[in-house]
Amino acid sequence: LSTCPRFKMASTPEVLNTQKAAHGHLAAVYDKIQVSASSKLWHQATLALEELVQDACFNAAGNKDLIALYNELVKDQPSGSSWSGFGSRMNAVKHATLAIKVSKQHGDAEPGIEEAIKFLEAVGKGLTDKEALLLMRLEVARRTLQAGRVEEAKEKLEASKSVLSDFAELDSSVNSAYYRVSALLQKTLGEAGEFYKCSLLYLAYTPLATLTAEEKQALAFDLGLAALCAEKLYQFGELLLHPILKCLEGTAGQWLVNMLNAFNKGDIAEFEKVSADSAAAINQQPALVGNAQRLREKIRIFALLEQLRDIPADCRTVAFSAIAERTKLPELEVELLLMKSLSLDLVRGVISGVDNTVRVTWVHPRVMDRESINKLTLPKLADWMAKVDKTSVFLANETPEILA
């Protein structure tokens, strides 16, 4: 077979041997790349490259090995060169993902950002697959945002969104990239609610194992702050049930997890305790300091919602005095709190200023954990069983002929 032109072994570039000597712990992976590429087994070579680029040594400041490896091994070379490259023979989405990883070695300083954009745009010109092109354009948008050109980044993201809508199904990496850039844009614009929404969607398409510990902690912390500061967000169930929040447990950010739990339970006493115990950490967060009054209003609305969810279905009229006790407000301010909740469509019902009561017909739904389910379900189930027994006894006494 070795004498047949179709199976002739190709001579791979010297960069493989050079880098193998520099990174001895990756020698076996470099050998897999070399054997696969020289045998023109492009899929196997791609898989070996994917394994290689995940190594932490390439994240070191100033390391440019991946750039050299891409330019000399992967990039398609001019006709007549001793090595042809195999970028055009790779799976297009995998090629784009690899190029994005390589581009990160240009760094985050302004010159590096511009070099990364040039590199990505050059690779993109050789791609025809729409998903792969989307990945490249989204990374260019992220780099453009990183360079501080917010409006330009916004335009690029909107252009990508219009293309996304044309697909019935997309590779998860494309959705992940889109929501990542969207979240970064909303963070830059200071839109806490939209950042929260986009970040959760980003996590829905992104395996946590692909993020570093630092990235997970930073995202979890930003999500927590966004949840607290978002104006129209009054339930944190999705975030509290997401495993990313565990990254903050036992760290300096533990206070934020405690704060989120206090809000989710509508526990004003716990909120005050966390605020006092973690005052120094809270004061280092301008978003929380600037929204201190809004946070107090928000925890009272959470407390109101929890109170209204707990009342029996056949006893939906609640006195202002009971709400004042739960929300730690003067009774005169309860009506204003109820009007605010009604205006946000968190509660529906009728307020009686004469009787100082509210008749509740609907409360905003929430995502429930096991503790909430047990708290809500078990008492209501017991109450329902008692009513069934009572009805059964009534029927037996009043209409014995029916049950005979």
Side-chain angles (χ1 to χ4, degrees), residues 226-275:
L228 293 173
C229 296
E231 290 187 26
K232 296 182 180 180
L233 185 61
Y234 287 90
Q235 68 98 2
F236 305 154
E238 295 97 331
L239 177 57
L240 289 170
L241 291 175
H242 200 286
I244 195 170
L245 212 57
K246 294 186 183 298
C247 301
L248 296 178
E249 294 178 359
T251 70
Q254 176 69 55
W255 65 270
L256 184 56
V257 179
N258 297 340
M259 181 76 80
L260 290 168
N261 278 307
F263 267 84
N264 201 54
K265 295 175 183 176
D267 191 337
I268 295 177
E270 180 65 16
F271 166 75
E272 297 290 358
K273 183 178 183 300
V274 175
S275 298

Side-chain angles (χ1 to χ4, degrees), residues 156-221:
K156 291 180 182 295
L157 188 63
E158 285 298 321
S160 297
K161 183 179 180 180
S162 64
V163 177
L164 275 171
S165 61
D166 295 336
F167 288 88
E169 187 176 351
L170 277 169
D171 189 276
S172 60
S173 62
V174 180
N175 283 309
S176 173
Y178 173 75
Y179 287 114
R180 181 191 183 199
V181 180
S182 297
L184 291 171
L185 177 62
Q186 298 304 329
K187 182 180 178 180
T188 303
L189 296 174
E191 296 290 341
E194 288 300 312
F195 169 79
Y196 180 86
K197 176 183 174 183
C198 291
S199 294
L200 285 180
L201 286 168
Y202 164 64
L203 288 172
Y205 291 104
T206 310
L208 283 182
T210 62
L211 303 179
T212 66
E214 293 76 15
E215 287 173 332
K216 285 186 279 192
Q217 284 192 11
L219 181 54
F221 196 85

